[in-house]
Amino acid sequence: MQMPTPNQNVLSRKAQIVERLQGVLRDGAVIHSESEVRAYECDALTAYKCPPLCAVLPTSTEEVAAVLKVCHEMGVPVVPRGSGTSLAGGALPTADCVILGVARLNSVLETNYDDRYIRVQSGRTNLSVTGAVEAMDFFYAPDPSSQLACAIAGNVAMNSGGAHCLKYGVTTNNLMGVKMVLMDGTITEIGGAHLDAAGLDLLGLICGSEGQLGVVTEATLRILRKPEGARPVLMAFNDNEVAGACVADIIKAGVLPVAIEFMDRLCIETTENYAKAGYPDCEALLIVEVEGAPEEIDEQLALIKDIALKHDPVELREAQDEEEAARIWLGRKSAFGAIGQISDYMCLDGTIPVSSLPMVLRRIGELSDEFGLKVGNVFHAGDGNMHPLICYDANKPGDLELCEAMGAEILKLCVDAGGCLTGEHGVGIEKRDLMTHQYAQQDLDIQMAVKDVFDPEWLLNPAKVFPLDSSASRRIAAE
Amino acid sequence: MQMPTPNQNVLSRKAQIVERLQGVLRDGAVIHSESEVRAYECDALTAYKCPPLCAVLPTSTEEVAAVLKVCHEMGVPVVPRGSGTSLAGGALPTADCVILGVARLNSVLETNYDDRYIRVQSGRTNLSVTGAVEAMDFFYAPDPSSQLACAIAGNVAMNSGGAHCLKYGVTTNNLMGVKMVLMDGTITEIGGAHLDAAGLDLLGLICGSEGQLGVVTEATLRILRKPEGARPVLMAFNDNEVAGACVADIIKAGVLPVAIEFMDRLCIETTENYAKAGYPDCEALLIVEVEGAPEEIDEQLALIKDIALKHDPVELREAQDEEEAARIWLGRKSAFGAIGQISDYMCLDGTIPVSSLPMVLRRIGELSDEFGLKVGNVFHAGDGNMHPLICYDANKPGDLELCEAMGAEILKLCVDAGGCLTGEHGVGIEKRDLMTHQYAQQDLDIQMAVKDVFDPEWLLNPAKVFPLDSSASRRIAAE
């Protein structure tokens, strides 16, 4: 993966930059020794690594503003970082950048059960947002697989989803407002604890902007009352495409399960060896979960099982109690980790219209044969958010490049099927060069011109999202 | 209401402009005689009128592009217009503008029941979108009161809602993609029939941008399967604040009715005289509707009625059949028309956190006494979207100005309660000068800089949304 040439002028002033940053932060908040900055050299896209110039860990919005002001004045690029769980390299440093980590900004600022929102600092982890309100029987809906670790800052940056987003929507549907610091240090508030915005909807623009427009330090999030109960049913099929067709039929019927998850044989077998979830021997599994009062659950599951029976399932297993429900989910939640035990892998994140699931699954199988790389499919099928896991050997020369080439083919396939390069992981560096497959140059120009408004010097996360040659003139003009 | 001085240079070239426009459109598509342009002199904010230079009615995206190209080359401002139902003056012409009406762009281009979307031209009316899919038991969720007349173009421009948006969200939650023409004639596509967007989420930005960024000619809209059934319950209370508290308690309990509508005594009495819906004699009415299978409806309504009973209702009337349900809704749907029969009125559109409903209703009552103008309250209470109707006499000198001053106080009250100037009607000209109460100058500067990206010459709907003095330098620089 090509990275931009680091700015020598910035590199040569490292000592001065560190000193200026130390002047605006508390002791210990600037990390600059060669050994310590290694902790920030990559995110969860571990194929790429680059230690930053230094890293800072501010503890307040005002400190974030002070850091950005210093970097703005000195022309230093800044890469914001939540918990570093990005699968797309969204928090990958450049050698000339300051990593701005929000991990110490993790307080709950306000909870309001009457108006159903919580206001948190952006470094708080996703799961601990729910943790702060669950005693009152509330929860925060978006649930990325990394929810134990990932920060709200990253969720906002990537517009993260999760298994239960079929019903509840992704981050943008649950985010009500942010406090954000612009690159010049200006603190601004966008949205709030109310419906809609007057004037332009900048909140929708900020969500999913991958840290390119500002550093979000606080977020106001919609919280929801926990449903009375939930129950999954596990459906086993002897054909990927048939399982895909079953998903399409459930969606078409207009029932709205809270989640429809898909796993193929590679994932089922690997997971079973690792987590012992008791999954059946089959080609494809669906986990379909519905929520509500017991009678509602019965009624919805009856309808869903009727649809499934038309597709000749090998097994239909409805959870009889909480323990069985937990076991059904255990396998799905362990899938990424299980695959990681047997192989290096790259996790893709394309979306497609649900009706093209069977075709896309077939074509991924063909690509796997053509490239000679195994692919596991485990993903949010209900909203067409695919997560093919391409297995490769990081120690075998050329295998990563082969894997990337195959990943590019799969993502182009998603776009050509009427879908999109990314559902919830973001573009980062991973899909940067594929943006030209989704967008015409004039579309990219408009997106980049919007970045110009917020960050005219292109100092914030400048080598992400856009193809390097498209953004080159802007980044160079800024130096 | 102050309007910008028309550009004399444009006015003096009227004949030439009309000729150029006639050159790119079919016969009869350019309306320019003094008597005919009067049809476009106002929208539903009828207090303000100004005939445009001329109006055009293109029939394709390509014709829209040709019109914009001509206007761009000649420096002529363009005001896009859907059906002209804006209550905020969003389609009010300036004397030097071309009205670009999309009424002839009203075809259905594609329906896809498997992936649950419909693609329409933007001049199609809201209700006829549902009309195109209801035979297959589908519907389009946002339902503004003007849905018989209002166009999807206007819905997208204003991010319109409606009574049933408590459950289904507003336009931005149901819009998947647009085809849009930029002011220079470039045709661009944003979003599509898939989840999420790669790169910046321009679709969220376009929705609600009040025709300031481009002219939307096509929209891809989410369609939903019709629920099995729906049933309203009418709740009567002898105190506005108590009714407001009941709404807050229903929301707090975590049940999600499809609609919670509120009417106060003035609206109840006026409507009853007009529509004979059989409403009881009381201070405040709520209409709470739930959807689903019969048992689900029973269960949800039981819970909701339990909550209502704690607030000493005068009456709880659950619809026993379809006819009674229709009668309960008849009054609510006739309310605006009924008030219009007895008085001129201005309809406001602020949002507030639901928990502050009782306080805001009390304060509106006090303002009504202070200003000596009657106020009717009829609104979407469940999501805190207020629609105070201020009654005034258009023939009494000074009364409109008094009404506007009072409206400004109410909208400031909404903002101060933690809400927002507009829920679904948009800013238009009506709330232009109040934007400084919601936003700091730096916030407005960012919003205007985003407009610069799409329309650097400020030719599209240039006198709307932003205070005239804030936008003056940009509009003048462009001339």
Side-chain angles (χ1 to χ4, degrees), chain A residues 411-428:
Chain A
L411 291 175
K412 285 181 188 171
L413 168 66
C414 290
V415 172
D416 296 342
C420 159
L421 291 174
T422 170
E424 53 185 1
H425 296 176
V427 176

Side-chain angles (χ1 to χ4, degrees), chain A residues 114-116 159 186-188 194-196 198 200 225 252 293 299 351 353-355 418-420 423 439 442-443 447, chain B residues 114-115 159 186-188 194-196 198 200 225 251-252 293 299 351 353-355 418-420 423 439 442-443 447:
Chain A
D114 290 357
D115 292 322
R116 296 182 298 128
N159 190 18
T186 308
I187 298 170
T188 181
H194 53 73
L195 185 74
D196 209 2
L200 293 180
R225 177 73 75 160
K252 191 174 165 182
E299 196 188 344
T351 73
V354 175
S355 66
C420 159
Y439 293 108
Q442 74 201 36
D443 299 326
Q447 293 193 27
Chain B
D114 289 356
D115 293 322
N159 189 19
T186 308
I187 298 170
T188 180
H194 53 73
L195 185 74
D196 208 2
L200 293 179
R225 177 73 75 160
I251 294 297
K252 191 175 164 180
E299 196 190 343
T351 72
V354 176
S355 67
C420 159
Y439 293 108
Q442 76 201 34
D443 299 326
Q447 293 192 26

Side-chain angles (χ1 to χ4, degrees), chain A residues 162-437:
Chain A
H164 290 74
C165 287
L166 177 57
K167 179 167 179 182
Y168 295 112
V170 292
T171 301
T172 197
N173 307 113
N174 294 276
L175 177 70
M176 303 173 75
V178 294
K179 183 176 276 189
M180 187 173 89
V181 187
L182 302 184
M183 187 63 218
D184 66 2
T186 308
I187 298 170
T188 181
E189 296 199 40
I190 296 173
H194 53 73
L195 185 74
D196 209 2
L200 293 180
D201 178 12
L202 296 183
L203 187 63
L205 180 69
I206 302 305
C207 191
S209 63
E210 309 204 9
Q212 295 249 317
L213 306 182
V215 176
V216 170
T217 58
E218 291 180 19
T220 304
L221 306 169
R222 172 64 74 209
I223 50 175
L224 301 171
R225 177 73 75 160
K226 273 191 188 164
E228 200 173 327
R231 196 188 307 156
V233 54
L234 187 151
M235 304 175 174
F237 299 90
N238 259 338
D239 186 294
N240 273 353
E241 288 182 55
V242 171
C246 181
V247 173
D249 281 355
I250 292 171
I251 294 296
K252 191 174 165 182
V255 271
L256 188 61
V258 69
I260 305 183
E261 296 291 302
F262 181 108
M263 293 171 73
D264 68 4
R265 178 175 281 282
L266 177 65
C267 291
I268 298 164
E269 285 183 354
T270 313
T271 301
E272 193 52 26
N273 288 336
Y274 176 77
K276 318 277 183 224
Y279 284 170
D281 178 31
C282 60
E283 290 301 317
L285 264 190
L286 297 179
I287 301 172
V288 182
E289 179 160 281
V290 299
E291 279 184 354
E295 315 81 64
E296 280 177 79
I297 291 180
D298 287 342
E299 196 188 344
Q300 290 181 72
L301 281 187
L303 189 57
I304 288 167
K305 287 190 292 186
D306 270 358
I307 295 170
L309 285 170
K310 291 182 187 136
H311 294 276
D312 293 322
V314 185
E315 186 175 343
L316 280 188
R317 188 193 303 173
E318 183 175 334
Q320 297 304 315
D321 51 38
E322 298 261 319
E323 197 210 320
E324 191 169 6
R327 220 165 42 244
I328 287 176
W329 275 111
L330 173 68
R332 168 64 184 88
K333 292 193 173 169
S334 314
F336 282 40
I339 298 275
Q341 293 283 315
I342 61 154
S343 175
D344 301 303
Y345 71 85
M346 178 166 283
C347 173
L348 305 180
D349 172 49
T351 73
I352 54 168
V354 175
S355 66
S356 51
L357 260 179
M359 180 278 284
V360 171
L361 284 169
R362 185 177 64 241
R363 186 75 193 113
I364 289 177
E366 291 166 4
L367 286 168
S368 172
D369 293 340
E370 286 169 31
F371 281 83
L373 293 176
K374 280 190 189 171
V375 178
N377 283 293
V378 47
F379 60 95
H380 316 312
D383 49 15
N385 189 181
M386 313 276 298
H387 290 317
L389 306 177
I390 311 180
C391 298
Y392 71 101
D393 182 350
N395 295 318
K396 184 174 163 191
D399 226 31
L400 172 62
E401 290 70 23
L402 193 66
C403 170
E404 286 185 337
M406 179 173 166
E409 287 310 307
I410 292 178
L411 291 175
K412 285 181 188 171
L413 168 66
C414 290
V415 172
D416 296 342
C420 159
L421 291 174
T422 170
E424 53 185 1
H425 296 176
V427 176
I429 58 158
E430 182 206 6
K431 284 160 281 212
R432 203 171 55 186
D433 294 330
L434 291 170
M435 287 285 275
T436 54
H437 194 79

Side-chain angles (χ1 to χ4, degrees), chain A residues 80-226:
Chain A
R81 179 184 170 104
S83 301
T85 56
S86 172
L87 289 161
L92 180 72
T94 47
D96 58 4
C97 87
V98 171
I99 284 279
L100 194 168
V102 293
R104 291 183 183 170
L105 289 157
N106 58 8
S107 303
V108 173
L109 301 169
E110 184 189 358
T111 50
N112 183 322
Y113 297 103
D114 290 357
D115 292 322
R116 296 182 298 128
Y117 67 84
I118 184 170
R119 193 158 55 86
V120 298
Q121 288 184 306
S122 66
R124 194 167 181 90
T125 63
N126 174 292
L127 198 60
S128 71
V129 172
T130 288
V133 296
E134 65 188 349
M136 295 288 283
D137 274 336
F138 278 80
F139 74 110
Y140 174 61
D143 58 342
S145 299
S146 59
Q147 67 181 143
L148 190 67
C150 66
I152 292 298
N155 292 184
V156 171
M158 297 316 197
N159 190 18
S160 304
H164 290 74
C165 287
L166 177 57
K167 179 167 179 182
Y168 295 112
V170 292
T171 301
T172 197
N173 307 113
N174 294 276
L175 177 70
M176 303 173 75
V178 294
K179 183 176 276 189
M180 187 173 89
V181 187
L182 302 184
M183 187 63 218
D184 66 2
T186 308
I187 298 170
T188 181
E189 296 199 40
I190 296 173
H194 53 73
L195 185 74
D196 209 2
L200 293 180
D201 178 12
L202 296 183
L203 187 63
L205 180 69
I206 302 305
C207 191
S209 63
E210 309 204 9
Q212 295 249 317
L213 306 182
V215 176
V216 170
T217 58
E218 291 180 19
T220 304
L221 306 169
R222 172 64 74 209
I223 50 175
L224 301 171
R225 177 73 75 160
K226 273 191 188 164

Side-chain angles (χ1 to χ4, degrees), chain B residues 235-416:
Chain B
M235 305 175 174
F237 299 89
N238 259 337
D239 186 294
N240 273 353
E241 288 182 54
V242 171
C246 181
V247 172
D249 282 355
I250 292 171
I251 294 297
K252 191 175 164 180
V255 272
L256 188 61
V258 70
I260 306 182
E261 296 291 302
F262 181 108
M263 294 172 73
D264 68 5
R265 178 174 281 282
L266 176 67
C267 291
I268 299 164
E269 285 183 353
T270 313
T271 300
E272 193 52 25
N273 288 335
Y274 176 76
K276 318 278 182 226
Y279 284 171
D281 178 32
C282 61
E283 291 300 318
L285 264 189
L286 297 179
I287 301 172
V288 182
E289 180 160 281
V290 300
E291 280 184 353
E295 316 80 62
E296 279 177 78
I297 292 179
D298 288 342
E299 196 190 343
Q300 290 182 73
L301 281 187
L303 188 56
I304 288 167
K305 286 191 292 185
D306 270 357
I307 295 169
L309 285 170
K310 292 183 186 137
H311 294 276
D312 294 322
V314 185
E315 187 176 342
L316 280 188
R317 188 193 302 171
E318 184 174 334
Q320 297 304 316
D321 51 38
E322 298 260 321
E323 197 211 319
E324 191 170 5
R327 220 164 43 244
I328 288 176
W329 276 111
L330 174 68
R332 168 63 184 87
K333 292 194 172 169
S334 313
F336 282 40
I339 298 275
Q341 293 284 314
I342 62 155
S343 176
D344 302 305
Y345 71 86
M346 178 167 282
C347 173
L348 305 180
D349 173 50
T351 72
I352 55 168
V354 176
S355 67
S356 50
L357 259 180
M359 181 278 284
V360 171
L361 285 169
R362 184 176 66 241
R363 187 74 193 112
I364 289 177
E366 291 166 4
L367 286 167
S368 171
D369 293 342
E370 287 169 30
F371 280 83
L373 293 176
K374 280 189 189 171
V375 177
N377 283 293
V378 46
F379 61 93
H380 315 312
D383 50 14
N385 189 181
M386 313 277 299
H387 289 318
L389 305 176
I390 311 180
C391 297
Y392 72 100
D393 182 350
N395 295 318
K396 185 175 162 190
D399 226 31
L400 172 62
E401 290 71 22
L402 193 65
C403 170
E404 287 186 335
M406 179 172 166
E409 287 309 309
I410 292 177
L411 291 176
K412 286 181 189 171
L413 168 66
C414 290
V415 172
D416 296 343

